[in-house]
Amino acid sequence: MRFLLIGAILLLAGCAVTAPEPTATPGPPRSAWGTIFTLASAEQMNAPAFWPGSTLPFAWVEADDAAVTNRLARLSGAGIAASGSVPLPVRPYAQTLLPAAEGKLHLFWLDANVEDETRLFHALITPNLIVERGPTIVSDEPTLAYALLPNADGSVWAVTTGGLLSEPGLFARFVDGQGRPRLENLYQIAYDAVWPAFLDAPDGRALFWLGNRDGQVYRAAFIDGQPESPQAITEAPPLGSGDRLDDFLAGQDRSHEMLFWNIRRADGTAETWISAAPRGGSWTRPTRLGISLSPDQPFETGFNGGAGMPAAPGESRLSWLRPLNGLFNTLPAAALLDGMLGVVYFQAGEIVGWQPVVPLSGLLAAPGFATDRDRHLYLSWSEPVAGEPARLQFTSTRP
């Protein structure tokens, strides 16, 4: 009996020693920069809009059986800290957030009016995510796309593509820092024109657009709401039957201006094309954007978030590109490369670096991309999930 007791004690001790450790609770997913925040699951192709200010506000579209809404949220280190919504939307999309006067925010988006025609809408949002003014209809004509040019006092110039589908043009409007459209708004500023894009360049502000029928790209100085001395600078990339242009965007570094086209081909292939020019010089014909990497060497990006790797133009194709607004020695642009969302860097109109950030199953549209005064980078995207609404994600280099 004594030996049996000793054996039982040893058996119990062995079981105690070999008992498995409790399973650790997995933490939130992380990118190369830090935590990935899931803001929502929503039936939205566009990346959630945001502004990289002190309160980090976001906007996206949510829908249920009862209503569709512009959802507003503010992010803290632990997740969503506050939320709000904009009343009366019908089918909102293409949201943009910009700073207004007195710490408030402009929210612009496209939506349907009571005649079910698309217009540019605006709402003035307080720091507590309350709608102070709006929704206000900014454009009077059917509206297809828009570009915004913020001013230092919190006011904004808005240029829209609109009018008759057979004869579209560009229309300019001014919204002051308190969210009030100017009564003496300007109207049509260019004819047979689509897809406006802005640059706030060292030698003055520039407005770009695409000719609707002639296949040309135009550049003009933008002065007090009017394009001055427009010039045809290059041709647009070719579009075939069933192809779609999703974005026309402008970017710059210290020496060059760059234009980017995000194109979705009829077979679903996403492409990005580029044209570039030295300031005041001749523009290249658009070419499809590709990259080659040199992963064994570091590349200093000039922004927070660690080093990247040297890169050059090559055969690996980039898509869904979004350049950073601003003027820097090197132009960063968020883009997708072989299932990796990252940042590609340009100098003098050429690719010079790449920084992988997060692997993805795919993208539904170009990501959101911004920086702050401390050169931290902010990235949002809409990621498809099989059988479910898209997952709206966000990460940044700011701790």
Side-chain angles (χ1 to χ4, degrees):
M1 179 64 70
R2 178 181 177 187
F3 292 111
L4 288 175
L5 288 173
I6 292 172
I9 292 170
L10 291 174
L11 179 61
L12 290 172
C15 291
V17 170
T18 59
E21 294 290 332
T23 303
T25 302
R30 296 181 64 82
S31 70
W33 293 343
T35 300
I36 297 173
F37 294 92
T38 299
L39 302 171
S41 292
E43 296 176 350
Q44 172 175 317
M45 294 179 63
N46 292 335
F50 67 91
W51 180 253
S54 58
T55 61
L56 197 54
F58 290 83
W60 66 87
V61 176
E62 282 189 356
D64 56 27
D65 293 337
V68 179
T69 184
N70 275 320
R71 176 63 59 192
L72 304 170
R74 192 169 65 237
L75 195 63
S76 71
I80 293 177
S83 63
S85 64
V86 179
L88 306 179
V90 179
R91 41 178 169 82
Y93 65 102
Q95 295 97 334
T96 304
L97 283 168
L98 287 175
E102 300 173 357
K104 300 169 188 174
L105 290 163
H106 296 288
L107 173 63
F108 290 88
W109 73 98
L110 295 177
D111 207 341
N113 63 7
V114 293
E115 286 83 25
D116 199 36
E117 294 179 339
T118 302
R119 298 289 190 270
L120 179 63
F121 280 71
H122 172 273
L124 185 70
I125 311 297
T126 70
N128 293 326
L129 304 182
I130 297 170
V131 178
E132 181 174 305
R133 177 173 285 112
T136 302
I137 297 178
V138 177
S139 60
D140 296 328
E141 65 288 328
T143 304
L144 304 174
Y146 69 96
L148 302 175
L149 183 63
N151 301 306
D153 62 356
S155 61
V156 179
W157 281 104
V159 171
T160 61
T161 300
L164 297 175
L165 288 177
S166 59
E167 298 178 356
L170 301 186
F171 298 77
R173 266 82 180 199
F174 181 86
V175 178
D176 72 12
Q178 296 297 333
R180 297 168 297 201
R182 181 185 287 171
L183 294 178
E184 64 274 20
N185 253 339
L186 299 171
Y187 291 101
Q188 192 157 2
I189 60 172
Y191 293 85
D192 199 38
V194 293
W195 287 104
F198 278 117
L199 267 187
D200 202 346
D203 55 352
R205 294 171 154 189
L207 174 66
F208 300 85
W209 68 87
L210 306 182
N212 181 49
R213 285 179 289 191
D214 64 8
Q216 297 295 301
V217 183
Y218 292 85
R219 185 191 190 279
F222 188 75
I223 302 172
D224 295 330
Q226 291 281 0
E228 301 286 346
S229 304
Q231 292 183 331
I233 56 174
T234 188
E235 298 177 354
L239 292 178
S241 176
D243 294 344
R244 171 180 169 178
L245 177 60
D246 281 295
D247 301 295
F248 174 59
L249 306 162
Q252 61 184 339
D253 60 22
R254 296 288 179 186
S255 65
H256 280 63
E257 296 178 344
M258 287 157 268
L259 298 174
F260 302 96
W261 291 257
N262 286 324
I263 295 171
R264 199 191 320 242
R265 297 298 182 186
D267 63 1
T269 302
E271 301 177 0
T272 295
W273 290 59
I274 182 175
S275 176
R279 297 194 186 280
S282 298
W283 287 77
T284 61
R285 295 188 66 180
T287 56
R288 190 175 175 187
L289 193 61
I291 191 172
S292 65
L293 307 178
S294 301
D296 296 332
Q297 300 293 326
F299 173 79
E300 294 302 324
T301 67
F303 292 81
N304 286 297
M309 63 186 73
E315 296 302 318
S316 297
R317 299 304 188 181
L318 292 156
S319 61
W320 295 126
L321 183 140
R322 175 80 63 184
L324 201 63
N325 290 325
L327 180 63
F328 311 98
N329 293 332
T330 302
L331 172 67
L336 188 67
L337 173 65
D338 296 331
M340 178 67 69
L341 181 59
V343 181
V344 58
Y345 294 87
F346 296 85
Q347 287 179 353
E350 296 281 355
I351 292 174
V352 293
W354 166 255
Q355 185 181 33
V357 177
V358 57
L360 298 183
S361 59
L363 279 180
L364 295 172
F369 191 45
T371 189
D372 60 20
R373 65 183 61 188
D374 298 321
R375 295 206 170 199
H376 283 283
L377 296 174
Y378 300 77
L379 186 60
S380 68
W381 66 96
S382 178
E383 185 173 357
V385 180
E388 299 179 19
R391 189 172 294 134
L392 306 184
Q393 310 272 55
F394 172 79
T395 192
S396 84
T397 62
R398 184 168 288 282

